[in-house]
Amino acid sequence: MSQIGRNRLAVLIDADNAQAAICETLLAEISKLGVSTIKRAYGDWTTPNLAPWKEHLLRHAIHPVQQFSYTQGKNATDSALIIDAMDLLYSGNVEGFCLISSDSDFTRLAARLRESGMLVYGFGEDKTPQPFVSACDTFIYSEGLRKVAEKPVPAMPVSKPAVEPVALVKPTKTQRQLRSHILNAVNELQQVDGWAPLSAVGGYLKKKMPDLKPSDHGASKLGAMIQKLDYLDVCRRPVKGGSMHFYIRKKSSQPAKAS
């Protein structure tokens, strides 16, 4: 055992067979199991398909092991990983291994490591053959890690404009109607975290109130009008491409449904 009382782990990644998108959550999961004292990723780094891994190698101090494909159809990466695993086994510097791959070729390796008293944690996709899954002490499916990695970015609060809530020039009945439709739209369109995309709410309002004009409510655009309503919270979130989209939700003090 290591001096801090946690198992030292060798993390061996078959980069040809694993998704770079799960790297952050993968390493976070491994940190719950022990200390990753050795981190290596195997593949032919001259090929473009491994480009997504490169930023993770630097950020997490993962050592890339170059393995050229000498013969078409033969996976030299697997052989290199297996040889290194056996060298590490006999070095006596680790108590366990994390094998990141969905390839059944590592079944015998996992079994051999366990025969030598090593802890073996496998990480792979749902398609991973059962023999490899069974050969590990614990097997964690990467689909679950991918869902964690793809969680929505936390909302960034947007300060409300330093103005009083807008006073509608239309009758009170119109004010109640607008409030009811907006809150109903949020109820129907909200995501799991309670926030609804403003663009979707705008489409909903266009169907329910085709004559709605933000200018009638003291605003030039829908977004500006929404930000002035005192019964809504507003935030912005980044989307692909770097642009920001607005999201809205009922204030926490609002009832579940519009009155």
Side-chain angles (χ1 to χ4, degrees):
M1 294 289 287
S2 63
Q3 293 181 350
I4 61 174
R6 302 184 67 201
N7 288 322
R8 296 168 298 177
L9 302 174
V11 180
L12 307 181
I13 303 170
D14 178 6
D16 290 331
N17 196 264
Q19 297 295 319
I22 66 167
C23 187
E24 299 277 355
T25 49
L26 170 69
L27 294 176
E29 189 69 23
I30 290 173
S31 69
K32 301 174 185 177
L33 305 173
V35 181
S36 52
T37 56
I38 297 168
K39 291 178 287 186
R40 299 177 185 174
Y42 297 79
D44 185 351
W45 299 101
T46 64
T47 59
N49 60 299
L50 294 188
W53 272 103
K54 293 183 180 179
E55 62 176 291
H56 298 290
L57 301 181
L58 180 62
R59 184 184 309 161
H60 300 290
I62 301 171
H63 176 63
V65 179
Q66 171 63 31
Q67 184 59 54
F68 292 101
S69 298
Y70 297 112
T71 305
Q72 187 70 25
K74 298 294 184 180
N75 196 338
T77 297
D78 292 2
S79 299
L81 191 155
I82 292 170
I83 291 170
D84 277 8
M86 297 308 295
D87 286 343
L88 291 170
L89 169 64
Y90 293 119
S91 72
N93 293 325
V94 295
E95 287 80 42
F97 288 79
C98 296
L99 305 178
I100 294 84
S101 180
S102 304
D103 195 334
S104 62
D105 288 349
F106 297 112
T107 300
R108 180 55 189 150
L109 172 63
R112 177 66 181 82
L113 294 173
R114 290 182 67 192
E115 289 171 2
S116 297
M118 293 287 110
L119 290 167
V120 178
Y121 302 101
F123 296 81
E125 299 178 3
D126 282 341
K127 66 180 182 181
T128 305
Q130 188 58 41
F132 180 33
V133 174
S134 300
C136 300
D137 288 287
T138 301
F139 195 90
I140 298 172
Y141 289 98
S142 57
E143 279 77 8
L145 299 177
R146 188 174 295 112
K147 290 178 182 178
V148 174
E150 295 173 354
K151 270 188 174 181
V153 177
M156 293 185 293
V158 175
S159 300
K160 289 279 188 176
V163 296
E164 294 295 323
V166 63
L168 302 181
V169 297
K170 290 191 175 183
T172 305
K173 178 181 178 181
T174 302
Q175 181 180 1
R176 293 200 305 267
Q177 183 183 31
L178 177 63
R179 181 179 184 275
S180 176
H181 283 315
I182 288 177
L183 295 183
N184 284 336
V186 171
N187 283 336
E188 291 186 20
L189 302 171
Q190 65 184 348
Q191 300 174 346
V192 292
D193 56 359
W195 292 90
L198 178 58
S199 57
V201 173
Y204 181 99
L205 291 177
K206 187 175 293 186
K207 294 179 181 178
K208 296 293 184 179
M209 302 179 68
D211 59 342
L212 175 65
K213 297 179 181 178
S215 58
D216 291 338
H217 306 294
S220 59
K221 296 181 179 180
L222 176 65
M225 183 191 79
I226 290 293
Q227 289 187 64
K228 294 182 179 181
L229 299 177
D230 60 358
Y231 49 85
L232 295 174
D233 287 328
V234 183
C235 77
R236 292 187 302 166
R237 288 177 175 171
V239 296
K240 291 181 178 179
S243 61
M244 305 293 287
H245 283 191
F246 280 89
Y247 289 75
I248 65 174
R249 70 178 180 187
K250 301 186 295 292
K251 280 189 178 296
S252 57
S253 60
Q254 295 296 317
K257 293 185 179 180
S259 59

